[in-house]
Amino acid sequence: MLETELTRMLGIQYPLFLAPMAGGPATPELAAAVSNAGGLGNLGGAYLTPDQLRSTIRRTRELTDRPFGVNLFVPELPEEQEGEVGQMTTELNKYRAQLGIELNPSIPKSSESFQEQVQVLLEEEVSIFSFTFGIPPHDMLQAMKQRGIVIIGTATTVEEAIRLEAAGVDAIAAQGSEAGGHRGTFLKSDSDALVGTMALIPQIVDHVSIPVIASGGIMDGRGLAASLVLGATAVQMGTAFLACPESGAHEVYKHKILTSHEDSTAITRVYSGKPARGIQTTFMNDMDQYSGIIPAFPIQNVMTRDIRQAAARANNPEYMSLWAGQGLRLASNHSAAEIVEQTMDQAKALLKKW
Ligand SMILES: Cc1cc2nc3c(=O)[nH]c(=O)nc-3n(C[C@H](O)[C@H](O)[C@H](O)COP(=O)(O)O)c2cc1C
């Protein structure tokens, strides 16, 4: 046991969360394995249709009777700018030609509807809901609170954390700039809020009265112990679990995770239109030279999907998005249960020693 305010609130043994990871890595098997090992598994439901979301929740329930959370993206609805989209289509055709896929594909409308996704969470009686990219409407949060759902919002600055607390969330996932995947920033211009975990956690802790979950660059018991000392009441680890057998990450992605280093990542908008940290690829480096305007999220994300999928089919990591944080060199391919156990043993030993 390592009890904190959050472990008591959530009914879990350890203050260790699997970070929600949309797009495939956080499978029901991975989320359930972390929950069964005493941590908190989290499903990344953002890109799932309501039906897929429902079956993913149900599958996870078959694998664990412990609590787990579900995460969604608060939607942004940018206007589609025809000129930008047309220019980007032409640019992306270069990669389509290289990968041997259809040029000028029609751009499918995003099929995920936030309202419908939330409805599924309510119907399936999910007990923990987390979100990123903003703050859901007041009525929605109230409906969840009335049902006793624990709500966790993502902040990358003190100001965002204060706004989330005022909106009524129960805890804050504080995402440092080391973190893999998309930046949760919603108040500042996207790339301004790059505050490291070590600096961010104590500053957020000082300005809110609800529990704070440290996220970004935490890979083992040292990161967990340090986060608790900084005032966090749990940690959220993503990259640490990406290469484990239960993760749904593609094999070449797992290989890249295990062979890349602390300086292998960069923050880029070229895959999705929103800043995200991932291992540097040819696509990223090449598209950095693009002089046009990159369409906003989620338009760019939808536009590059065929390229990322074709690259995955061809086992070519250079055109896939390889989201990962700066703790890369500490990643392993151990099972999720082993990672939880090793992290907890190390943290407990360190906290005792000090
Ligand atoms: C592959 C991947 C996908 C992610 N998807 C989501 C997501 O759907 N929702 C979310 O709130 N955060 C998402 N994140 C961010 C994580 O929740 C978390 O902030 C990050 O993994 C922590 O940093 P670390 O990777 O260094 O542990 C994702 C991260 C990765 C690596």
Side-chain angles (χ1 to χ4, degrees), residues 6-267:
L6 259 176
T7 60
R8 284 189 293 273
M9 184 193 284
L10 301 173
I12 57 174
Q13 233 176 319
Y14 300 135
L16 193 171
F17 296 6
L18 166 70
M21 292 187 281
T27 55
E29 286 71 21
L30 180 54
V34 172
S35 289
N36 286 336
L40 181 79
N42 274 296
L43 297 171
Y47 298 129
L48 301 180
T49 63
D51 285 347
Q52 290 168 332
L53 186 57
R54 194 185 303 279
S55 58
T56 304
I57 293 167
R58 290 188 179 174
R59 173 75 187 133
T60 310
R61 284 230 168 91
E62 284 168 15
L63 300 171
T64 185
D65 54 8
R66 308 245 180 129
F68 62 90
V70 183
N71 176 277
L72 296 175
F73 293 166
V74 179
E76 287 150 272
L77 301 168
E79 294 259 318
E80 199 169 304
Q81 305 289 345
E82 259 178 49
E84 284 171 19
V85 168
Q87 234 185 320
M88 181 54 73
T89 301
T90 308
E91 183 71 17
L92 293 177
N93 280 343
K94 285 196 311 210
Y95 305 100
R96 297 191 175 105
Q98 281 176 38
L99 290 162
I101 55 173
E102 187 194 338
L103 306 185
N104 302 313
S106 60
I107 303 160
K109 287 263 168 277
S110 261
S111 54
E112 315 86 46
S113 146
F114 185 57
Q115 297 278 352
E116 287 171 16
Q117 289 172 324
V118 168
Q119 192 53 37
V120 171
L121 303 200
L122 297 177
E123 286 166 14
E124 294 299 314
E125 299 181 3
V126 161
S127 57
I128 301 156
F129 166 58
S130 67
F131 59 84
T132 186
F133 301 167
I135 305 182
H138 177 74
D139 294 356
M140 193 179 267
L141 292 181
Q142 281 309 109
M144 290 194 159
K145 285 177 91 68
Q146 274 164 12
R147 288 168 159 85
I149 298 174
V150 176
I151 304 173
I152 303 172
T154 306
T156 61
T157 61
V158 169
E159 190 58 36
E160 288 174 352
I162 291 170
R163 292 273 193 102
L164 285 163
E165 182 175 33
V169 305
D170 299 294
I172 285 168
Q175 187 192 39
S177 56
E178 301 92 322
H182 284 105
R183 309 286 314 140
T185 305
F186 59 95
L187 287 182
K188 287 217 143 195
S189 87
D190 283 330
S191 45
D192 286 350
L194 292 176
V195 185
T197 305
M198 182 113 178
L200 184 65
I201 303 309
Q203 297 190 74
I204 290 188
V205 166
D206 280 352
H207 285 88
V208 296
S209 56
I210 50 179
V212 174
I213 302 143
S215 175
I218 299 158
M219 301 294 288
D220 57 22
R222 292 171 292 183
L224 170 51
S227 301
L228 296 179
V229 173
L230 291 174
T233 46
V235 295
Q236 189 154 279
M237 292 162 47
T239 304
F241 288 101
L242 274 173
C244 62
E246 298 91 339
S247 151
H250 192 290
E251 283 309 314
V252 299
Y253 182 6
K254 289 185 178 179
H255 179 73
K256 283 292 238 178
I257 295 281
L258 295 172
T259 53
S260 299
H261 300 146
E262 66 286 355
D263 57 354
S264 304
T265 70
I267 293 183

